[in-house]
Amino acid sequence: QLKAIEKIVEKKVYIEVPPKNSEKPKDINMNQINFLSFVDMNKLMKLSREYSPDEVKAEKLLKLFEEAIACGKRFRSESELYKIPVSSSSIAVSKAISFGSKSLMVLGYGTIGNLVVKYALSSKLEKLYIVVRNKEKVNEYKNFINEVDSIISCTSSPHIVIQKNYINNYGNDILLIDLALPRDIDEQTSKISRVTLLDIDEISKLDLGNKNLRKLEMNKHKYIVNEYLNDFINWMKLREITYYIK
């Protein structure tokens, strides 16, 4: 009997099936197919028939995909898990937005910085400054520090990149988020009345709390998965009866 497991990981759908002529499992990039709105059912049907010429089995596999996708869309919509960030980069951007920021400066464009920028670009920020390592322009970012509402720093620098004296004592409130280890931002900046400083430890606590919130929401909406599972099982039973009636 043909078995298929759908795994959605990093925007990819991995379909694992018993090896056919020692071939590797098919790998379908989600960006290359229309997933119901977004999944191209014709491609999935073709794939299922490739591994199972049996029309009945192919139909069952297609129905399984349809139900799984519909279930996932409803689960995402009703649970709203996407509103609960669970990574340091997404939490940092979320904090900046909730702070009321219209402008953001990101220091560092490595793995974490790249993710911070990704989340920032999907927000409603009006201005985004990205500071990367450039010896010729290394001091230019200091001229803009006091013009932004929030700063997220995540460089690999071994020394402090934002000193207390870089921040003006007077002006609008500013949020400084330090995601770097060792520190990027001078702890003394927190003594400036207009500064709110968050470090990686505080962000990590929020991360843990958000993960627990997600687990609660997932368990709260588990009934959705059970509904679709029961519907599929009942559909399978009905198909078996229909087969014998024919």
Short mmCIF file of all heavy atoms in Angstrom, two decimals, residues 154-182:
data_model
loop_
_atom_site.label_atom_id
_atom_site.label_comp_id
_atom_site.label_asym_id
_atom_site.label_seq_id
_atom_site.Cartn_x
_atom_site.Cartn_y
_atom_site.Cartn_z
N CYS A 154 22.86 43.15 16.08
CA CYS A 154 23.16 41.71 16.07
C CYS A 154 24.43 41.45 15.27
O CYS A 154 24.44 40.61 14.37
CB CYS A 154 21.99 40.92 15.51
SG CYS A 154 21.27 41.62 14.01
N THR A 155 25.48 42.18 15.59
CA THR A 155 26.74 42.01 14.87
C THR A 155 27.57 40.91 15.53
O THR A 155 27.23 40.41 16.60
CB THR A 155 27.57 43.31 14.86
OG1 THR A 155 28.18 43.50 16.14
CG2 THR A 155 26.69 44.51 14.54
N SER A 156 28.67 40.58 14.90
CA SER A 156 29.61 39.60 15.47
C SER A 156 30.84 40.32 16.03
O SER A 156 31.88 39.71 16.24
CB SER A 156 30.04 38.60 14.39
OG SER A 156 30.61 39.27 13.28
N SER A 157 30.68 41.60 16.27
CA SER A 157 31.80 42.40 16.77
C SER A 157 32.21 41.97 18.18
O SER A 157 31.36 41.68 19.02
CB SER A 157 31.40 43.88 16.80
OG SER A 157 32.41 44.65 17.42
N PRO A 158 33.50 41.92 18.47
CA PRO A 158 33.97 41.53 19.80
C PRO A 158 33.91 42.68 20.81
O PRO A 158 34.19 42.50 21.99
CB PRO A 158 35.43 41.11 19.54
CG PRO A 158 35.85 41.97 18.38
CD PRO A 158 34.62 42.09 17.52
N HIS A 159 33.56 43.86 20.32
CA HIS A 159 33.51 45.03 21.22
C HIS A 159 32.18 45.78 21.06
O HIS A 159 31.39 45.50 20.16
CB HIS A 159 34.68 45.97 20.92
CG HIS A 159 34.78 46.36 19.47
ND1 HIS A 159 33.94 47.28 18.88
CD2 HIS A 159 35.62 45.94 18.49
CE1 HIS A 159 34.25 47.43 17.61
NE2 HIS A 159 35.26 46.61 17.34
N ILE A 160 31.95 46.72 21.95
CA ILE A 160 30.71 47.51 21.93
C ILE A 160 30.64 48.35 20.65
O ILE A 160 31.62 48.99 20.26
CB ILE A 160 30.67 48.45 23.17
CG1 ILE A 160 30.61 47.64 24.46
CG2 ILE A 160 29.47 49.39 23.07
CD1 ILE A 160 29.37 46.80 24.63
N VAL A 161 29.48 48.35 20.01
CA VAL A 161 29.31 49.14 18.79
C VAL A 161 28.42 50.36 19.00
O VAL A 161 28.41 51.27 18.18
CB VAL A 161 28.76 48.28 17.62
CG1 VAL A 161 29.75 47.19 17.24
CG2 VAL A 161 27.41 47.68 17.97
N ILE A 162 27.65 50.34 20.10
CA ILE A 162 26.85 51.52 20.45
C ILE A 162 27.20 51.94 21.87
O ILE A 162 26.78 51.31 22.84
CB ILE A 162 25.33 51.25 20.34
CG1 ILE A 162 24.95 50.90 18.89
CG2 ILE A 162 24.53 52.46 20.81
CD1 ILE A 162 23.47 50.67 18.68
N GLN A 163 28.00 52.98 21.98
CA GLN A 163 28.39 53.52 23.27
C GLN A 163 27.31 54.44 23.82
O GLN A 163 26.48 54.97 23.06
CB GLN A 163 29.71 54.30 23.15
CG GLN A 163 30.88 53.48 22.61
CD GLN A 163 31.47 52.55 23.64
OE1 GLN A 163 31.08 52.55 24.80
NE2 GLN A 163 32.43 51.73 23.20
N LYS A 164 27.34 54.67 25.12
CA LYS A 164 26.35 55.54 25.75
C LYS A 164 26.37 56.92 25.14
O LYS A 164 25.32 57.55 24.93
CB LYS A 164 26.61 55.62 27.26
CG LYS A 164 25.60 56.51 27.99
CD LYS A 164 25.94 56.65 29.46
CE LYS A 164 24.97 57.62 30.15
NZ LYS A 164 25.33 57.85 31.56
N ASN A 165 27.59 57.43 24.84
CA ASN A 165 27.68 58.80 24.33
C ASN A 165 27.18 58.95 22.90
O ASN A 165 27.11 60.05 22.37
CB ASN A 165 29.12 59.31 24.44
CG ASN A 165 30.11 58.51 23.61
OD1 ASN A 165 29.81 57.39 23.20
ND2 ASN A 165 31.27 59.08 23.34
N TYR A 166 26.80 57.83 22.24
CA TYR A 166 26.22 57.93 20.91
C TYR A 166 24.76 58.37 20.98
O TYR A 166 24.21 58.87 19.99
CB TYR A 166 26.26 56.58 20.19
CG TYR A 166 27.62 56.04 19.86
CD1 TYR A 166 27.76 54.80 19.23
CD2 TYR A 166 28.79 56.75 20.15
CE1 TYR A 166 29.01 54.28 18.92
CE2 TYR A 166 30.04 56.24 19.84
CZ TYR A 166 30.15 55.01 19.23
OH TYR A 166 31.37 54.50 18.92
N ILE A 167 24.14 58.17 22.14
CA ILE A 167 22.72 58.46 22.32
C ILE A 167 22.54 59.82 22.98
O ILE A 167 23.08 60.07 24.06
CB ILE A 167 22.02 57.39 23.18
CG1 ILE A 167 22.33 55.98 22.65
CG2 ILE A 167 20.52 57.64 23.24
CD1 ILE A 167 21.79 55.69 21.29
N ASN A 168 21.78 60.69 22.32
CA ASN A 168 21.50 62.01 22.92
C ASN A 168 20.66 61.85 24.17
O ASN A 168 19.80 60.97 24.25
CB ASN A 168 20.76 62.90 21.92
CG ASN A 168 21.61 63.25 20.72
OD1 ASN A 168 22.84 63.16 20.77
ND2 ASN A 168 20.96 63.63 19.62
N ASN A 169 20.89 62.71 25.15
CA ASN A 169 20.13 62.65 26.40
C ASN A 169 18.69 63.12 26.21
O ASN A 169 17.80 62.72 26.97
CB ASN A 169 20.80 63.51 27.48
CG ASN A 169 22.10 62.89 27.96
OD1 ASN A 169 22.21 61.68 28.12
ND2 ASN A 169 23.11 63.72 28.19
N TYR A 170 18.45 63.93 25.21
CA TYR A 170 17.12 64.47 25.00
C TYR A 170 16.61 64.09 23.60
O TYR A 170 17.37 63.98 22.65
CB TYR A 170 17.13 65.99 25.17
CG TYR A 170 17.61 66.43 26.53
CD1 TYR A 170 18.93 66.86 26.72
CD2 TYR A 170 16.76 66.38 27.63
CE1 TYR A 170 19.39 67.24 27.96
CE2 TYR A 170 17.21 66.75 28.89
CZ TYR A 170 18.52 67.18 29.05
OH TYR A 170 18.96 67.54 30.29
N GLY A 171 15.30 63.92 23.53
CA GLY A 171 14.69 63.53 22.26
C GLY A 171 13.55 62.56 22.50
O GLY A 171 13.11 62.35 23.64
N ASN A 172 13.05 61.96 21.43
CA ASN A 172 11.96 60.99 21.56
C ASN A 172 12.46 59.70 22.19
O ASN A 172 13.65 59.40 22.16
CB ASN A 172 11.36 60.69 20.19
CG ASN A 172 10.71 61.91 19.55
OD1 ASN A 172 10.16 62.76 20.26
ND2 ASN A 172 10.78 62.00 18.23
N ASP A 173 11.54 58.95 22.74
CA ASP A 173 11.90 57.65 23.33
C ASP A 173 12.49 56.75 22.24
O ASP A 173 12.06 56.78 21.09
CB ASP A 173 10.67 56.98 23.93
CG ASP A 173 10.17 57.71 25.18
OD1 ASP A 173 10.94 58.51 25.72
OD2 ASP A 173 9.03 57.45 25.59
N ILE A 174 13.46 55.95 22.64
CA ILE A 174 14.12 55.05 21.70
C ILE A 174 14.28 53.66 22.31
O ILE A 174 14.58 53.54 23.51
CB ILE A 174 15.49 55.61 21.26
CG1 ILE A 174 16.14 54.70 20.19
CG2 ILE A 174 16.41 55.80 22.45
CD1 ILE A 174 17.39 55.31 19.55
N LEU A 175 14.03 52.64 21.52
CA LEU A 175 14.15 51.26 21.97
C LEU A 175 15.43 50.66 21.41
O LEU A 175 15.65 50.68 20.20
CB LEU A 175 12.94 50.44 21.50
CG LEU A 175 12.99 48.93 21.76
CD1 LEU A 175 12.97 48.63 23.26
CD2 LEU A 175 11.82 48.22 21.06
N LEU A 176 16.27 50.13 22.29
CA LEU A 176 17.51 49.47 21.88
C LEU A 176 17.41 47.99 22.21
O LEU A 176 17.17 47.63 23.37
CB LEU A 176 18.72 50.08 22.60
CG LEU A 176 18.91 51.60 22.49
CD1 LEU A 176 20.15 52.03 23.26
CD2 LEU A 176 19.02 52.03 21.03
N ILE A 177 17.58 47.14 21.21
CA ILE A 177 17.51 45.69 21.42
C ILE A 177 18.85 45.07 21.02
O ILE A 177 19.29 45.20 19.88
CB ILE A 177 16.37 45.05 20.60
CG1 ILE A 177 15.03 45.68 20.99
CG2 ILE A 177 16.34 43.54 20.81
CD1 ILE A 177 13.83 45.14 20.21
N ASP A 178 19.47 44.41 21.97
CA ASP A 178 20.80 43.82 21.76
C ASP A 178 20.67 42.30 21.65
O ASP A 178 20.43 41.61 22.65
CB ASP A 178 21.71 44.20 22.92
CG ASP A 178 23.18 43.91 22.64
OD1 ASP A 178 23.45 43.14 21.69
OD2 ASP A 178 24.04 44.45 23.36
N LEU A 179 20.82 41.78 20.45
CA LEU A 179 20.72 40.33 20.22
C LEU A 179 22.09 39.67 20.13
O LEU A 179 22.19 38.47 19.85
CB LEU A 179 19.94 40.05 18.94
CG LEU A 179 18.49 40.55 18.87
CD1 LEU A 179 17.86 40.16 17.54
CD2 LEU A 179 17.67 40.00 20.02
N ALA A 180 23.13 40.44 20.35
CA ALA A 180 24.49 39.93 20.13
C ALA A 180 25.11 39.33 21.39
O ALA A 180 24.78 39.70 22.51
CB ALA A 180 25.39 41.06 19.63
N LEU A 181 26.01 38.39 21.16
CA LEU A 181 26.86 37.83 22.21
C LEU A 181 28.28 37.76 21.66
O LEU A 181 28.52 37.05 20.68
CB LEU A 181 26.40 36.42 22.62
CG LEU A 181 25.14 36.34 23.47
CD1 LEU A 181 24.73 34.89 23.63
CD2 LEU A 181 25.37 36.96 24.83
N PRO A 182 29.23 38.51 22.25
CA PRO A 182 29.09 39.43 23.38
C PRO A 182 28.26 40.66 23.01
O PRO A 182 27.90 40.84 21.85
CB PRO A 182 30.53 39.81 23.71
CG PRO A 182 31.25 39.67 22.41
CD PRO A 182 30.62 38.48 21.73
#
